[in-house]
Amino acid sequence: MDNTNNQTMTKPSHYDGDLWNEDLAPTNAETRTWVWKDYAALWIAMVVCVPTYLLSAGLVSEGMNWYQAVITVLLGNIIVLVPMMLIGHAGAKYGLPFPVLLRSAFGTKGAKIPALARGLVACGWFGINTWVGGSAIYVILNSVSGDAFVGQALPFLGIDITQTLCFFAFWAMHLVFIKHGTESIRWLETFAAPFLILMGLALLGWAYVNAGGFGEMLSTPSQFVEGGAKEGQFWTAFFAGLTSMVGFWATMALNIPDFTRFAKSQKDQMLGQAIGLPLPMALFAFIGVAVTSATVTIYGEAIWDPVALAGRMGGMGVVLALAALALATLTTNLAANMVAPAYGFSNMAPSKISFKMGGYITAGIGVAIFPWKLLETAGGYLFTWLTGYSALLGPIAGILIADYFILRKSTLNIDALFQHSGEYGANNGWNMAGVTALVIGILPNIPGFLHAAGFVESVPAIFDTLYAYAWFVGLIIASMVYLLLSNRVPVTMQAKSASQ
């Protein structure tokens, strides 16, 4: 993922030092080795993780039945696959990472704003996954010791001392792999993902036996039916849930060039993503909702957190399952949530921050956000966190697609992306059309976010409605505003050495 396997590169003399380093430079023919199987495996490795389970099971706890939740997840991932392929096209064609491609639409200096925004969101995801992995270690310790490590919550943190130590122990594992580069864990991802699938299937089998069969297990009705606790509220919950599902991978839809820059061809990146994302996501969503539905029969309540569920189950099998879960969470977290911010922070000061240093910065921010507080409730996790950041990232995706495909006809000037004096460095490095479109694309969703997060008691109903479609609203508005504000951009000559 980084360029640690490349030969040492020398900065071209006409490139500016604050825009170039080896990690941000275009990939060459020797490093473009990824075929469709690699992208399919990458996606399966990222999809099969605890946050995916939490997504689908969280929808059940919000009132959906099993098939409503699975369909919502599947539709969301089919939708987000489209911008994933479109934005990935630029990476495969020019071999450039996401922060460099942003310079076309936002300017050589303005690009730092969306790159940093994407990086900070990934830091949040890094923190969530690290908390999940640390929680697995905590449950293992208490499973083998009869809850000997359960203690009083620490002031300010809200978690006990062992939970805190388990979190930092799992966090420290990431630092080892950051030091040796992301390529050092690729083989581990390949082997870990199938183990997590097997764990999920074993959990499904356990639920089948203990709930008395699939008929009983999946009989929990929707709360939106007549007489239900949330009667008549299905469509409101569905569209909010759909936006959250899109938001789940809205991060990767932006920085997918960080991976497609290694593609042998456009066909490889597109086919691999189509195979690896929607259907595996739906399969693991079914496991999540089926098991959560079963917990209503088995325990009398919906337990949507698989770590908490494993703690209720007990036994040495839980120890093995949670150990595999922690391992897979580690590899997924490094692949999905470390690459983007590492490139993003490197882009902030290329001469001072390498890809590796960017990884260390990500790890630090992941601790500072207190991820366990984001996961206190299913509703808060889904509709505040996921929908909230999708409102930020949707406009960036819309601007990128409009700039690359409509305005520039998928033709970029590679040299100019690394020069303040080039066409992308005009107006002192700021493309105000892109920056303005980003702000305008975000604004309509701010009132709804403030209401959902509890910062204000009420807002006009129109803002709650817009917020339910946050990612879509931001993408459409920002792309239209960008095209309206942009002057006609002449088709540029692409650099032969960097294009395919």
Side-chain angles (χ1 to χ4, degrees), residues 132-154:
V132 168
S135 296
I137 298 174
Y138 179 74
V139 172
I140 290 173
L141 291 176
N142 283 298
S143 295
V144 300
S145 65
D147 291 335
F149 293 95
V150 176
Q152 294 293 322
L154 296 172

Side-chain angles (χ1 to χ4, degrees), residues 9-204:
M9 304 172 70
T10 303
K11 181 181 74 68
S13 58
H14 56 295
Y15 286 3
D16 290 310
D18 62 339
L19 293 177
W20 185 96
N21 65 24
E22 290 186 38
D23 297 311
L24 300 177
T27 53
N28 52 38
E30 288 72 25
T31 56
R32 297 190 187 193
T33 59
W34 288 45
V35 296
W36 70 269
K37 293 179 182 178
D38 296 310
Y39 289 104
L42 175 72
W43 271 113
I44 292 172
M46 289 193 290
V47 161
V48 182
C49 60
V50 173
T52 300
Y53 185 104
L54 299 182
L55 268 183
S56 52
L59 289 173
V60 171
S61 73
E62 289 296 308
M64 291 188 179
N65 62 25
W66 73 271
Y67 66 82
Q68 289 170 337
V70 172
I71 290 173
T72 303
V73 172
L74 180 61
L75 286 177
N77 282 276
I78 290 174
I79 291 170
V80 80
L81 181 64
V82 176
M84 199 87 69
M85 290 180 175
L86 292 177
I87 297 174
H89 183 281
K93 184 173 183 178
Y94 294 104
L96 295 168
F98 167 67
V100 175
L101 292 170
L102 283 171
R103 297 170 186 171
S104 172
F106 292 90
T108 52
K109 294 182 179 178
K112 294 182 178 181
I113 294 177
L116 183 61
R118 166 63 183 98
L120 291 176
V121 168
C123 291
W125 271 120
F126 173 85
I128 287 176
N129 277 278
T130 304
W131 171 248
V132 168
S135 296
I137 298 174
Y138 179 74
V139 172
I140 290 173
L141 291 176
N142 283 298
S143 295
V144 300
S145 65
D147 291 335
F149 293 95
V150 176
Q152 294 293 322
L154 296 172
F156 183 66
L157 291 179
I159 55 178
D160 67 41
I161 183 64
T162 307
Q163 284 177 299
T164 304
L165 292 175
C166 288
F167 172 75
F168 278 103
F170 192 68
W171 176 81
M173 295 180 192
H174 292 78
L175 301 185
V176 175
F177 290 103
I178 293 172
K179 178 181 179 181
H180 295 287
T182 51
E183 288 296 326
S184 68
I185 66 156
R186 282 188 61 193
W187 67 270
L188 192 58
E189 287 184 49
T190 303
F191 291 106
F195 285 125
L196 191 53
I197 293 176
L198 290 176
M199 188 200 76
L201 293 175
L203 187 60
L204 187 64

Side-chain angles (χ1 to χ4, degrees), residues 371-383:
W372 51 90
K373 293 187 179 295
L374 291 176
L375 292 169
E376 286 179 348
T377 66
Y381 171 72
L382 284 170
F383 302 113

Side-chain angles (χ1 to χ4, degrees), residues 21 23 342-343 345-346 349-359 361:
N21 65 24
D23 297 311
Y343 277 126
F345 293 130
S346 178
S351 61
K352 299 178 181 179
I353 303 176
S354 65
F355 178 91
K356 186 182 298 184
M357 179 57 68
I361 294 173

